[in-house]
């Protein structure tokens, strides 16, 4: 394909996202794959995927910016940019220039305040998996369901308290609830509410909405509803918000071309 292309590669701890923008800024390609054990291997698989889609990183007029947990593992990147910056740019593209971005990743949660399309404040939970996608994955596995099934169960569950701040202790709480015969629906509700409360507490460090959700939970309707309740304000998102970091990186890459 002829023309100028900006390629954004966002290698997260759990998932790797790719976004390609053409010279006019239109989104022309996305890809999503598990990061797996090695960021280096993920970067290699991304290179193969891009070449197969007609956007080889070494093609004339193509520029690549890498971001995310594994950004330094992308040898064909023309530049590496922090994930805070890229998520801010991507969210601005998707939602506008002002608001609070909540990105729930696999191993951390970020809250980014935007004003005039620029990052003016951010906070991050990167010390514990509680309040992240990994926490939901662990708890879903413990209950023998998928994350989608976990949310479906939670919709019909009664309020159930899971108080531990640590994932390991929270898992012990869930095991105890299972042993006491508490319904899976109620446990699922407790798991979701536990994540939402931690995310909302982090988001509370920003002055206020509008709130935008990016990351792997942007298509989880129940989490979005519960987060809106916890924040006392609607939470906007869209399917493309999963690629916010990659989109921001692609915008930066396009500026290099």
């Amino acid at each position: 394909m002829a023309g100028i292309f900006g390629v954004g590669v966002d290698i997260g701890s759990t998932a790797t996202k790719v976004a390609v923008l053409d010279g006019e800024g239109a989104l022309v390609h996305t890809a999503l794959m598990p990061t797996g054990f090695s960021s280096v291997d993920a970067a290699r698989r991304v290179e193969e995927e891009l070449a197969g889609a007609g956007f080889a990183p070494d093609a004339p007029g193509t520029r690549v910016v890498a971001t995310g947990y594994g950004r330094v593992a992308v040898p064909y990147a023309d530049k590496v940019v922090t994930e805070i910056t890229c998520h801010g740019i991507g969210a601005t593209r998707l939602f506008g220039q002002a608001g609070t971005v909540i990105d729930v990743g696999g191993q951390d949660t970020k809250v980014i305040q935007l004003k005039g399309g620029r990052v003016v404040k951010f906070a991050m939970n990167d010390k514990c998996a509680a309040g992240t996608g990994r926490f939901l994955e662990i708890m879903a596995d413990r209950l023998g369901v998928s994350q989608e099934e976990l949310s479906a169960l939670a919709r019909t569950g009664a309020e159930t308290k899971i108080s531990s701040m640590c994932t390991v202790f929270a898992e012990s709480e869930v095991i105890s609830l299972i042993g006491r015969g508490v319904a899976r629906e109620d446990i699922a509700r407790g798991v979701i509410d536990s994540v939402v409360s931690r995310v909302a507490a982090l988001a509370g460090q920003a002055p206020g909405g509008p709130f935008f959700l990016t990351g792997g939970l942007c298509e989880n309707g129940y989490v979005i509803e519960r987060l809106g309740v916890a924040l006392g304000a609607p939470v906007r998102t869209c399917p493309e918000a999963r690629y916010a970091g990659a989109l921001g990186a692609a915008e930066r890459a396009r500026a290099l071309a």
Side-chain angles (χ1 to χ4, degrees), residues 130-148:
T132 68
R134 177 60 179 159
F135 180 85
L136 289 179
E137 182 181 331
I138 291 170
M139 298 309 169
D141 286 346
R142 176 57 64 181
L143 290 173
V145 297
S146 67
Q147 288 195 48
E148 292 77 13

Side-chain angles (χ1 to χ4, degrees), residues 64-82:
V64 180
V65 166
T67 190
Y69 168 85
R71 60 185 178 273
V72 298
V74 186
Y76 47 87
D78 296 289
K79 189 174 184 179
V80 296
V81 178
T82 68

Side-chain angles (χ1 to χ4, degrees), residues 194-250:
S194 176
V195 170
V196 165
S197 67
R198 285 159 176 72
V199 173
L202 189 67
Q205 297 182 33
F211 294 100
F212 313 120
L213 180 66
T214 63
L217 296 180
C218 67
E219 295 184 73
N220 190 316
Y222 184 69
V223 169
I224 295 164
E225 290 173 23
R226 297 302 298 167
L227 187 55
V229 170
L231 291 170
V235 177
R236 289 177 55 197
T237 190
C238 62
E240 291 80 11
R242 185 181 188 100
Y243 298 92
L247 282 167

Side-chain angles (χ1 to χ4, degrees), residues 2-64:
I4 303 298
F5 296 101
V7 178
V9 179
D10 178 7
I11 299 184
S13 59
T14 301
T16 293
K17 288 79 62 178
V18 180
V20 181
L21 302 177
D22 67 15
E24 302 300 317
L27 180 63
V28 294
H29 182 69
T30 59
L32 173 68
M33 63 188 73
T35 297
F37 174 75
S38 167
S39 296
V40 172
D41 180 62
R44 188 178 303 114
R45 284 183 280 119
V46 166
E47 185 176 22
E48 293 171 356
E49 197 279 336
L50 285 168
F55 305 105
D58 59 355
T62 298
R63 297 292 182 269
V64 180

